[in-house]
Every structure is written in C-alpha cells, then in structure tokens.
Amino acid sequence: MSEYAGLVSRFLAYTVDAVVVAVFTGGATLVFGVVAAIVGSGAWELARLVVTSYLVLLPAALALYCAVFWMLAGRTPGMAFLGLRVVRADGRTPGWIASFLRGLMLAYFPIGALWLLIDRRRQALHDKVARTSVVRATPEPTAQ
C-alpha cells in the first residue's frame, strides 16, 4: 500500500503547476495584447476583453491542464517533481470524467483541499467527488 500524500507536498505540487499555467497563459495573453495593439482599435477592444477575463479563465486553464495530465500520466509535472500520483481505488490512473471533475473542483474551490487534514486517507473534497487519492509514487522496479 502506498503512503497517502499530505498537505505540504500537495500544496507545493499545486503551486508548481499553477505557476506553469500562469506563465503560459499570461504569456499568451501578453502576445495577444501586443498583436491587437498593432492591428488596430477593433482588435484592441477584443484584447482588453481577453486581458480582463484572464483571471476568470486562469482557473479553467489550470483545471484542463491538471485533468489532461491526470488522465494521461496520473500526475502533473508538479506532482512528478514531488513524487506524487493520483490514483483510483484500484491503483490505476483516473479516467477523463474523474480527472475533469477533480480539476474543476480544485481550480474553482481550492479551499476544499483542506478537508484532507481531517480525513484518514487524506482525501480532499475533490478526491472524494472523483473517488481518487493522492499517494507517494513508488519507484518502478528495475529489471536485472
């Protein structure tokens, strides 16, 4: 049985992933704003709309980023850096629906993560909804 991950390691992984998403989406928004400023006033209005909605769209980008990584690899780059993995009860990576629900809840309701402080399996609310757990990844055995 793998060890359940705690608040500090999960928070650090989330922070790494949030910074990655913020840098990429912020860069894309900046490029879009510069191009719109060069093109003209009609595009400038669109650029202002994009820039002002950036804070609303940022959690959606984070949710999608996390969901794709959880579905494909069972972990985000931040989780891989800290040796964590998202698993279902059977130990496999979560499916698309569970990953997407988990990502949406984590991105738009991050305070629900504090539930892991009182749960015996250290499941946050988004883990409960998606029926997942975050565990410390065990190293793969090497063939000799």
Side-chain angles (χ1 to χ4, degrees):
M1 183 77 188
S2 297
E3 177 186 353
Y4 296 114
L7 179 66
V8 174
S9 58
R10 290 175 68 162
F11 175 76
L12 290 174
Y14 180 77
T15 302
V16 168
D17 293 324
V19 167
V20 168
V21 170
V23 166
F24 280 110
T25 57
T29 302
L30 180 65
V31 168
F32 186 78
V34 169
V35 169
I38 294 169
V39 169
S41 63
W44 182 246
E45 289 300 318
L46 181 60
R48 279 194 343 175
L49 176 66
V50 169
V51 170
T52 55
S53 62
Y54 172 71
L55 291 178
V56 174
L57 298 176
L58 187 60
L62 181 62
L64 185 61
Y65 164 92
C66 289
V68 168
F69 276 107
W70 291 329
M71 184 188 70
L72 296 176
R75 59 169 116 189
T76 62
M79 294 176 85
F81 179 70
L82 288 158
L84 305 177
R85 179 176 298 282
V86 176
V87 295
R88 299 185 323 190
D90 62 4
R92 297 186 335 198
T93 59
W96 174 251
I97 293 172
S99 296
F100 190 66
L101 282 174
R102 190 176 193 280
L104 282 175
M105 284 193 68
L106 181 58
Y108 285 100
F109 188 64
I111 195 78
L114 293 178
W115 186 259
L116 71 88
L117 293 173
I118 59 172
D119 189 84
R120 65 181 171 80
R121 293 187 338 182
R122 296 187 182 158
Q123 285 182 301
L125 289 180
H126 52 272
D127 290 314
K128 296 279 187 194
V129 169
R131 296 182 179 152
T132 60
S133 295
V134 177
V135 296
R136 300 207 175 276
T138 55
E140 299 293 326
T142 57
Q144 294 185 1

